Amino acid sequence: DTGVSQDPRHKITKRGQNVTFRCDPISEHNRLYWYRQTLGQGPEFLTYFQNEAQLEKSRLLSDRFSAERPKGSFSTLEIQRTEQGDSAMYLCASSSPDDAGNTIYFGEGSWLTVV
Amino acid sequence: AQTVTQSQPEMSVQEAETVTLSCTYDTSESDYYLFWYKQPPSRQMILVIRQEAYKQQNATENRFSVNFQKAAKSFSLKISDSQLGDAAMYFCAYRRIGNMLTFGGGTRLMVKP
C-alpha cells in the first residue's frame, strides 16, 4: 500500500478558472477527509466522507467548493471561479474505523496558487 | 466546538538536548484522542505519537513522549536527544471518536547543530 495519493501536487491557475484535485485514499479506508492549509497555519477541516456519503462540511466550504466520492474510493475536490484567497495547500487524509488508534493518515497535499 | 492551542510559535533546541512543546485543548467530551503530527519542509504530515484520553499512562514512541494532563486539558510533547531531522512544524491535534481532527496553529522546531 502506497499511502494516500494526491494529484496534482502543484497547480497554478488564473483567477476565475476552475480547478479539480483528486485523492486516492489508503485501500480499504472508508473515511476520507479534505483539509486546507495556508502558510504558517495548521490545517483547517473542509469536509469528510464515510464511504460515498458526505457526512460533514465546514463553513469554510463555500458554494464554489464541491467534493465528491462517487464510489466510496477516490475523491475529487473542485473549486469553481477561483479567487486569490483560495491559494493554499489542500490536504487529503483517510482513516479506517478498524484502526484501534483512530489514526488519520495524510497525503502529500496539492498546492494551489491562484494568480 | 473544540479548540486546540499551541502557545509557542517557534522553539529552538541544541542537537542531543531535550525540548518540550506545549499544547492545550478545550472540550466537553470525556472520550477522545490526542495526536502530535510532524510536518517537515516536504510538507507531508506524519504521525509522531497518539494518546487515548481514557488511558492514564503517557504514550511513548522511542525519543518522543507526551505528558497528558486530562484535568488540565494539557498535552505536551517531549523530544529527547534531539536530532537535526527533528526540525519541522509540529501540530497538536484533537479528535473526538469517529470525527475529524482539529489542529492547533503549530510550533516550528529548529534544531541547532
Side-chain angles (χ1 to χ4, degrees), chain A residues 31-38 41-50 53-62 65 67 77 89-95 104 106, chain B residues 1-2 45 93-96 98-104:
Chain A
R31 291 192 180 135
L32 186 148
Y33 308 80
W34 285 100
Y35 284 80
R36 181 171 70 187
Q37 186 180 22
T38 52
Q41 303 295 318
E44 298 172 296
F45 169 75
L46 292 178
T47 188
Y48 96 94
F49 294 83
Q50 180 161 302
Q54 188 172 19
L55 295 188
E56 192 163 346
K57 294 198 297 185
S58 163
R59 295 172 300 172
L60 295 174
L61 215 64
S62 74
F65 287 70
L77 176 68
M89 171 79 80
Y90 290 86
L91 291 165
C92 179
S94 69
S95 71
I104 295 178
F106 285 82
Chain B
Q2 294 81 28
M45 200 79 70
Y94 164 100
R95 186 181 186 196
R96 191 157 48 93
N99 214 314
M100 73 289 191
L101 283 167
T102 300
F103 285 90

Side-chain angles (χ1 to χ4, degrees), chain B residues 32-74:
Chain B
Y32 50 86
Y33 292 86
L34 295 166
F35 302 84
W36 279 97
Y37 279 87
K38 169 186 177 181
Q39 191 176 42
S42 67
R43 298 191 71 83
Q44 182 166 23
M45 200 79 70
I46 303 166
L47 177 67
V48 173
I49 197 166
R50 64 173 184 245
Q51 174 81 42
E52 294 87 343
Y54 64 85
K55 289 188 178 179
Q56 292 186 339
Q57 186 173 5
N58 289 325
T60 299
E61 287 286 341
N62 301 314
R63 298 182 295 108
F64 299 88
S65 61
V66 298
N67 184 4
F68 173 48
Q69 301 290 327
K70 191 172 184 178
K73 295 179 183 176
S74 170

Side-chain angles (χ1 to χ4, degrees), chain B residues 17-37:
Chain B
E17 297 294 309
T18 295
V19 65
T20 298
L21 308 184
S22 301
C23 173
T24 58
Y25 58 95
D26 185 27
T27 184
S28 57
E29 303 288 332
S30 59
D31 204 6
Y32 50 86
Y33 292 86
L34 295 166
F35 302 84
W36 279 97
Y37 279 87

